[in-house]
Amino acid sequence: MDWNPAVIWLIIALLLGLAELTTGGLVLLALGAAAALTAALAGLGLSLPWQLLGMGVFSGVLVPLAVWIIRPRFSPRGVAYGTTGTGVEKGHTYRTLVRDFDGATGVKINGDFYRLRVADSDAKSGITELPPGTRVVFQTFDGTTAIVHLAHPAPDSRANHHTE
């Protein structure tokens, strides 16, 4: 097999594409596409400095395109991945759930289940079980436990409900 620069760039592109399977952020896939385009430059006979310049230009165009334009199209609407625990959920109303396999009571925030503890109860041994469907208002996290308080009945049925 002839190990010319185009083949090496294609191998790099393949490895970056395979590495993307572990992340899902589309950055490595964009870099793999840039490496494949650089392989085309190498196939045209350009020298290594021109290949590296091409890789830089292709990366500079494809990575922002993948992150800002393509990736949001694959994310469900209304889910802000990476923001859970930063305080954006504070004050939102959720309904309690009971997990099937262990009977734990909790709430689902951004698609993830969190056990709950009612804030008005005692510190670590507080109320952790509520009937399913109970409306609670999220306050904060204590590790992986959601600290909530019971929601007052809303006079308006169109109140802000997050029933994920």
Side-chain angles (χ1 to χ4, degrees):
M1 180 174 172
D2 185 22
W3 288 95
N4 63 34
V7 172
I8 294 171
W9 281 113
L10 286 175
I11 291 171
I12 292 170
L14 178 65
L15 292 175
L16 286 167
L18 288 173
E20 175 61 34
L21 296 174
T22 64
T23 64
L26 294 182
V27 172
L28 294 176
L29 188 62
L31 290 174
L37 291 171
T38 304
L41 294 178
L44 293 174
L46 274 73
S47 64
L48 182 61
W50 286 106
Q51 292 172 30
L52 294 175
L53 179 66
M55 179 66 179
V57 169
F58 294 141
S59 298
V61 170
L62 293 176
V63 169
L65 177 77
V67 172
W68 293 331
I69 296 172
I70 297 171
R71 184 171 57 182
R73 296 180 193 272
F74 292 103
S75 297
R77 296 221 183 274
V79 177
Y81 290 108
T83 62
T84 304
T86 62
V88 297
E89 311 86 3
K90 186 173 184 169
H92 289 241
T93 303
Y94 297 92
R95 293 197 182 271
T96 59
L97 305 166
V98 175
R99 197 163 47 188
D100 291 336
F101 69 89
D102 65 353
T105 302
V107 292
K108 228 176 198 184
I109 301 173
N110 286 343
D112 293 321
F113 181 87
Y114 296 94
R115 287 179 169 254
L116 64 80
R117 186 172 73 238
V118 179
D120 302 332
S121 57
D122 295 336
K124 295 290 183 189
S125 62
I127 299 172
T128 59
E129 294 183 17
L130 294 171
T134 304
R135 292 180 59 240
V136 294
V137 178
F138 177 81
Q139 287 184 327
T140 188
F141 282 108
D142 180 18
T144 60
T145 302
I147 309 300
V148 299
H149 64 270
L150 296 175
H152 300 292
D156 183 8
S157 63
R158 293 173 288 154
N160 184 14
H161 297 290
H162 290 61
T163 57
E164 298 175 6

